[in-house]
């Protein structure tokens, strides 16, 4: 009766609670999404309006005087001649720095020669500012805060006077650049000193673009308060990345002396729409949320979060949605979606109509999202701001609420049973913890600890178990450390492959090796040199030589047989078959000779190297009972040992067989014979 009453009561209360609760949660989610949208829209509108207001104020304030100084100075440079040294510096800059980065973004083949300045003023300015003061920013654009190139020109004097002010304007408004364009279309000043410094928007390389259009509009406006704004488009001096320009005339009507231009990157707007100050992190919209700007053409004006955070998944989604490979490749190269990525049919339609609302729709990646949208209050730009969050995440609180109602109902039904089960578990929990600990130790997880829990007998047993587990772990660490040390020592006494076989239980190891090479090296003079020094210093030098032997062996890829004092025996083609074993042992011997020379220079020593190399049949194996040593014997080993001293002088000596195989690699001179066969010494340069 209690269970039945509880079930009926829970169902009735849960039904009405579910109805009212889900509706309230849905309304709250939509309201929160709209609030985020309004806040982001306000930020974007404020930024663009601040930039617009700033360009008007500066064009009427310091603009006329600044324009006069730069225009006059630029005209002086324009009447000059091109310095061949400047052209050479710019040629290197455009070939080595500018063209590769532009090609990386836009793809295709870039002809750097087409961008190299030819006019005197542009060549002069870029050689002294763009090239000499170039660094890389997060957008890989050249940027210079140099106020004076120290060339004594009138332009540098004007830059020293005005550049700090315009740089402060650029930084305070978060701009990419501040430019001034004279009435002839020449960019007579740029705060960033990029490749657009000195360019011509009327007849030069920047014609037919947004910058030219704004320049003409501003000059024709005949209005001191006129502001012209361009939409984002690819800007070649920014390595093909999109830029927006805000311009205002300096002067009015027939008195206009030029145009002041503020350059805004897409990244600046993107960071506002994300709400986090970062282009790749969105705040206030959960795990799947995103806010972005869309133009009436349906293309994004800010970057895509998915493109920045997971380019591979983004590419797969775009291919599934039918995106062209050319456009996708460009987005992935630049990690930029501005002006390239379509917002999708649903979002594009509301942006085109300039609608406001909240609705479920499909976004650019094919996700089902809950989207809030509204047009931006920016004169001259037909943009809409969209804030989205995947429907599943947006409605997760509703689903969670329904789940909680069901769980609450079930909890009432099972309450009585749960109480009895919990009481039983209270008594068995300590035993369960101990059993889990025992299983962990049995599985190899030594050192496992369990919670003692209480101070009764179970607690004492848990404490004893923890002590046992800790002791086992400590002993295992000692065993592992000893095994590692034994393995290291063993590998220092014999080749690694032989050491592995010995560790696996083989005690009788021998083999015959055909066509292997052996090198005997010995450094003379160390005892006399080191005998005059303290034991610690002598030991350090001996370790340095030993380390040099091992490093040379590693570089040449030869196998160490053994080393004694300043002597070293190595082989190639013995354990690991190699077709170039002769060359390897010779390279090793030459490398050791260089090492000895460096040691002499560093330590003021006069050590010399004697080395012998021969190739042929070799036998090797473990020798000894208590102390196992790997040894080599055979004719090749004997000759390699004997040729070292055939001339009585230090050097690297090889038999005739070795010389024949190395004739093209080293120079040799004959120094004697052994068993009627010539012996050759390697001539070191």
């Amino acid at each position: 009766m209690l269970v039945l009453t509880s079930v009926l009561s829970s169902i009735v209360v849960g039904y009405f609670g579910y109805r009212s609760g889900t509706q309230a949660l849905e309304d709250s989610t939509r309201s929160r999404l709209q609030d985020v949208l309004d806040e982001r829209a306000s930020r974007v509108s404020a930024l663009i309006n601040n930039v617009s207001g700033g360009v008007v104020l500066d064009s009427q304030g310091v603009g006329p005087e600044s324009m006069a100084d730069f225009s006059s100075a630029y005209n002086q440079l324009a009447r000059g001649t091109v310095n061949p040294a400047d052209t050479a510096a710019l040629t290197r800059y455009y070939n080595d720095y500018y063209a590769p980065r532009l090609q990386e973004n836009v793809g295709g083949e870039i002809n750097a020669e087409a961008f190299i300045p030819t006019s005197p003023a542009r060549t002069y300015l870029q050689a002294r500012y763009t090239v000499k003061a170039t660094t890389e920013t997060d957008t890989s654009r050249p940027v210079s805060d140099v106020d004076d190139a120290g060339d004594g020109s009138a332009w540098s004097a004007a830059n020293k006077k005005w550049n700090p002010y315009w740089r402060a304007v650029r930084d305070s408004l978060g701009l990419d650049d501040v430019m001034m364009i004279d009435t002839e279309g020449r960019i007579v000043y740029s705060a960033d000193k990029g490749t657009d410094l000195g360019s011509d928007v009327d007849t030069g390389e920047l014609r037919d673009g947004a910058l030219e259009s704004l320049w003409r509009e501003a000059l024709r406006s005949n209005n001191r308060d006129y502001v012209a704004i361009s939409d984002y488009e690819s800007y070649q001096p920014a390595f093909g990345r999109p830029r927006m320009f805000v311009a205002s005339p300096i002067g009015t009507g027939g008195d206009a002396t030029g145009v002041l231009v503020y350059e805004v990157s897409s990244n600046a707007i993107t960071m506002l729409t994300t709400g986090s100050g970062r282009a790749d992190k969105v705040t206030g919209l959960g795990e799947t949320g995103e806010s972005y700007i869309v133009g009436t053409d349906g293309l994004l004006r800010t970057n895509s979060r998915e493109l920045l955070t997971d380019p591979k998944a983004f590419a797969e989604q775009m291919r599934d949605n039918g995106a062209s490979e050319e456009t996708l490749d460009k987005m992935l190269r630049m990690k930029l979606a501005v002006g390239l990525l379509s917002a999708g049919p649903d979002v594009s339609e509301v942006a085109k109509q300039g609608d406001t609302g909240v609705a479920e729709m499909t976004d650019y990646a094919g996700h089902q999202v809950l989207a809030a949208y509204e047009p931006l209050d920016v004169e001259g730009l037909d943009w809409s701001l969209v804030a989205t969050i995947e429907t599943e995440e947006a409605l997760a609180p509703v689903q969670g609420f329904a789940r909680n109602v069901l769980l609450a109902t079930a909890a009432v039904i099972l309450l009585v049973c749960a109480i009895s089960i919990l009481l039983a578990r209270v008594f068995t929990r300590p035993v369960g913890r101990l059993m889990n600990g025992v299983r962990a130790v049995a599985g190899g997880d030594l050192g496992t600890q369990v919670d003692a829990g209480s101070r009764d007998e179970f607690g004492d047993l848990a404490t004893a178990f923890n002590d046992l587990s800790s002791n086992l772990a400590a002993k295992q660490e000692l065993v592992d450390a000893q095994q590692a040390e034994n393995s290291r020592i063993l590998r220092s006494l014999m080749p690694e492959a032989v050491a592995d076989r010995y560790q696996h239980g083989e005690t009788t190891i021998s083999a015959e090796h055909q066509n292997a090479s052996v090198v005997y090296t010995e450094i003379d003079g160390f005892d006399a040199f080191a005998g005059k020094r303290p034991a610690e210093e002598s030991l350090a030098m001996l370790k340095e030589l030993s380390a040099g032997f091992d490093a040379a062996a590693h570089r040449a890829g030869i196998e160490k047989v053994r080393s004694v004092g300043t002597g070293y025996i190595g082989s190639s083609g013995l354990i690991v078959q190699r077709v170039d074993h002769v060359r390897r042992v010779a390279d090793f011997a030459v490398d050791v000779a260089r090492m000895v020379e460096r040691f002499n220079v560093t330590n003021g020593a006069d050590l010399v190297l004697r080395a012998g190399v021969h190739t042929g049949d070799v036998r090797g194996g473990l020798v000894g009972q208590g102390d196992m040593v790997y040894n080599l014997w055979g004719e090749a080993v004997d000759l390699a040992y004997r040729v070292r001293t055939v001339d009585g002088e230090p050097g690297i000596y090889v038999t005739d067989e070795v010389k024949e195989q190395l004739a093209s690699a080293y120079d040799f001179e004959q120094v004697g014979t052994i068993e009627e066969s010539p012996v050759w010494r390697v001539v070191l340069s």
Side-chain angles (χ1 to χ4, degrees):
M1 291 176 63
L2 179 61
V3 170
L4 180 60
T5 302
S6 300
V7 170
L8 292 177
S9 301
S10 299
I11 290 176
V12 173
V13 174
Y15 173 74
F16 288 103
Y18 172 78
R19 288 286 302 274
S20 60
T22 53
Q23 186 61 47
L25 287 172
E26 288 183 7
D27 293 342
S28 175
T29 300
R30 291 171 181 267
S31 176
R32 179 170 59 88
L33 192 61
Q34 186 64 53
D35 290 342
V36 171
L37 180 73
D38 293 340
E39 184 263 340
R40 306 286 162 83
S42 175
R43 288 189 181 186
V44 174
S45 299
L47 172 66
I48 299 178
N49 290 330
N50 285 342
V51 172
S52 300
V55 76
V56 170
L57 290 175
D58 285 328
S59 66
Q60 299 175 18
V62 301
E65 185 181 354
S66 179
M67 183 71 203
D69 289 347
F70 280 111
S71 182
S72 174
Y74 190 91
N75 287 331
Q76 291 182 28
L77 296 177
R79 292 191 293 268
T81 58
V82 175
N83 187 333
D86 292 345
T87 301
L90 288 171
T91 299
R92 291 191 298 271
Y93 170 81
Y94 278 91
N95 277 287
D96 300 340
Y97 177 82
Y98 180 78
R101 285 158 179 78
L102 180 61
Q103 181 172 322
E104 181 180 351
N105 283 347
V106 304
E109 293 293 330
I110 300 297
N111 180 15
E113 301 296 327
F115 300 102
I116 299 175
T118 57
S119 63
R122 187 181 177 210
T123 301
Y124 184 92
L125 292 176
Q126 290 195 16
R128 282 153 186 80
Y129 287 92
T130 306
V131 173
K132 291 187 178 181
T134 292
T135 59
E136 291 187 33
T137 68
D138 56 341
T139 57
S140 298
R141 281 215 52 194
V143 58
S144 171
D145 288 339
V146 175
D147 295 331
D148 188 354
D151 58 338
S153 67
W155 196 96
S156 290
N159 190 64
K160 183 178 180 180
K161 177 181 179 182
W162 295 108
N163 196 57
Y165 175 81
W166 293 119
R167 183 170 63 242
V169 170
R170 179 197 65 186
D171 296 340
S172 63
L173 293 177
L175 305 174
D176 246 37
D177 199 5
V178 175
M179 295 180 286
M180 285 188 285
I181 309 176
D182 66 9
T183 55
E184 298 180 24
R186 301 172 302 181
I187 301 177
V188 298
Y189 171 76
S190 165
D192 263 10
K193 312 298 187 295
T195 58
D196 42 11
L197 177 60
S199 298
D200 193 327
V201 302
D202 183 21
T203 60
E205 54 284 338
L206 296 182
R207 64 183 181 278
D208 301 329
L211 196 55
E212 180 201 3
S213 299
L214 261 66
W215 170 72
R216 294 189 185 280
E217 288 180 27
L219 288 180
R220 289 196 300 262
S221 66
N222 195 27
N223 182 353
R224 289 170 58 88
D225 297 328
Y226 180 80
V227 177
I229 302 178
S230 73
D231 205 338
Y232 281 110
E233 72 168 27
S234 176
Y235 188 50
Q236 169 251 313
F239 302 99
R241 301 180 75 84
R243 292 292 184 267
M244 178 176 73
F245 300 100
V246 183
S248 183
I250 302 175
T252 59
D255 297 329
T257 58
V259 176
L260 180 63
V261 180
Y262 286 174
E263 180 181 326
V264 184
S265 72
S266 61
N267 197 50
I269 305 296
T270 297
M271 288 191 292
L272 291 180
T273 60
T274 61
S276 65
R278 288 173 47 182
D280 60 345
K281 182 179 180 182
V282 180
T283 60
L285 293 173
E287 296 294 327
T288 61
E290 184 174 9
S291 54
Y292 47 85
I293 296 175
V294 183
T296 54
D297 56 2
L299 299 179
L300 266 62
R301 295 302 192 271
T302 53
N303 216 349
S304 163
R305 176 187 60 82
E306 292 195 37
L307 172 60
L308 297 177
T309 57
D310 194 347
K312 184 177 180 180
F314 173 83
E316 293 176 356
Q317 291 172 348
M318 292 303 101
R319 290 190 181 95
D320 293 341
N321 291 340
S324 69
E325 286 296 329
E326 179 181 356
T327 302
L328 181 58
D329 181 61
K330 191 170 184 179
M331 286 191 287
L332 293 175
R333 278 201 307 270
M334 293 196 293
K335 291 188 177 179
L336 193 69
V338 178
L340 299 171
L341 178 60
S342 172
D346 295 345
V347 179
S348 298
E349 183 62 26
V350 298
K352 183 177 181 181
Q353 299 298 328
D355 293 339
T356 300
V358 180
E360 291 188 38
M361 56 180 61
T362 303
D363 70 355
Y364 64 83
H367 300 142
Q368 293 299 313
V369 298
L370 183 64
Y373 45 88
E374 65 180 43
L376 282 173
D377 183 19
V378 178
E379 185 176 353
L381 293 175
D382 294 326
W383 286 356
S384 290
L385 181 62
V386 181
T388 68
I389 183 171
E390 290 190 15
T391 305
E392 183 178 353
E393 182 181 2
L395 300 181
V398 178
Q399 298 169 353
F401 177 75
R403 182 172 60 253
N404 290 337
V405 170
L406 292 175
L407 290 175
T409 304
V412 173
I413 297 172
L414 299 176
L415 182 59
V416 176
C417 295
I419 291 175
S420 60
I421 293 174
L422 288 174
L423 289 174
R425 291 179 61 85
V426 168
F427 292 105
T428 60
R429 187 179 296 116
V431 178
R433 287 198 297 266
L434 284 171
M435 288 299 298
N436 291 334
V438 172
R439 293 191 184 97
V441 172
D445 187 9
L446 303 181
T448 296
Q449 301 290 293
V450 299
D451 184 12
S454 60
R455 297 182 179 180
D456 56 13
E457 292 80 3
F458 286 117
D460 295 340
L461 183 58
T463 301
F465 171 82
N466 290 339
D467 293 341
L468 173 63
S469 180
S470 299
N471 291 335
L472 289 175
K475 292 178 180 179
Q476 185 61 44
E477 289 178 0
L478 293 175
V479 171
D480 293 342
Q482 185 62 49
Q483 288 180 342
E485 179 64 16
N486 292 344
S487 179
R488 186 190 66 79
I489 294 173
L490 195 61
R491 280 164 172 74
S492 68
L493 299 175
M494 60 188 69
E496 185 173 347
V498 176
D500 289 339
R501 293 175 61 185
Y502 183 74
Q503 283 186 304
H504 283 84
E506 294 187 52
T507 56
T508 304
I509 301 176
S510 63
E512 295 186 4
H513 308 278
Q514 297 181 345
N515 197 19
S517 296
V518 179
V519 57
Y520 268 89
T521 58
E522 184 177 5
I523 298 176
D524 287 346
F526 180 79
D527 290 341
F529 171 71
K532 304 174 183 179
R533 287 164 172 75
E536 291 184 359
E537 184 179 351
S538 300
L539 178 60
M541 292 180 177
L542 186 60
K543 287 183 177 180
E544 180 181 348
L545 292 173
S546 179
F549 276 119
D550 291 337
H554 178 73
R555 287 190 293 269
I558 73 168
E559 300 145 358
K560 174 182 177 181
V561 177
R562 69 174 179 273
S563 61
V564 178
T566 57
Y568 193 98
I569 305 174
S571 67
S572 182
L574 189 68
I575 305 300
V576 179
Q577 299 298 315
R578 301 183 186 275
V579 296
D580 59 343
H581 54 85
V582 177
R583 174 63 180 267
R584 287 177 181 272
V585 294
D587 289 347
F588 166 75
V590 172
D591 200 359
V592 172
R594 305 297 186 207
M595 181 265 292
V596 172
E597 292 176 359
R598 291 192 297 270
F599 182 89
N600 289 339
V601 171
T602 303
N603 298 283
D606 193 21
L607 309 184
V608 295
L609 173 71
R610 299 180 186 274
V613 181
H614 184 55
T615 183
D617 296 341
V618 176
R619 296 180 180 181
L622 290 180
V623 179
Q625 293 296 328
D627 297 328
M628 302 296 289
V629 177
Y630 187 79
N631 204 354
L632 298 178
W633 62 89
E635 181 183 1
V637 180
D638 181 60
L639 282 176
Y641 179 79
R642 291 164 59 194
V643 296
R644 295 177 308 127
T645 56
V646 69
D647 187 39
E649 295 294 329
I652 301 173
Y653 296 90
V654 302
T655 60
D656 199 44
E657 290 87 343
V658 174
K659 186 261 184 185
E660 291 298 324
Q661 298 190 44
L662 295 177
S664 61
Y666 293 101
D667 294 328
F668 299 91
E669 60 179 358
Q670 185 174 350
V671 295
T673 61
I674 189 168
E675 296 182 0
E676 300 182 358
S677 178
V679 175
W680 304 84
R681 179 166 55 201
V682 177
V683 179
L684 299 177
S685 57

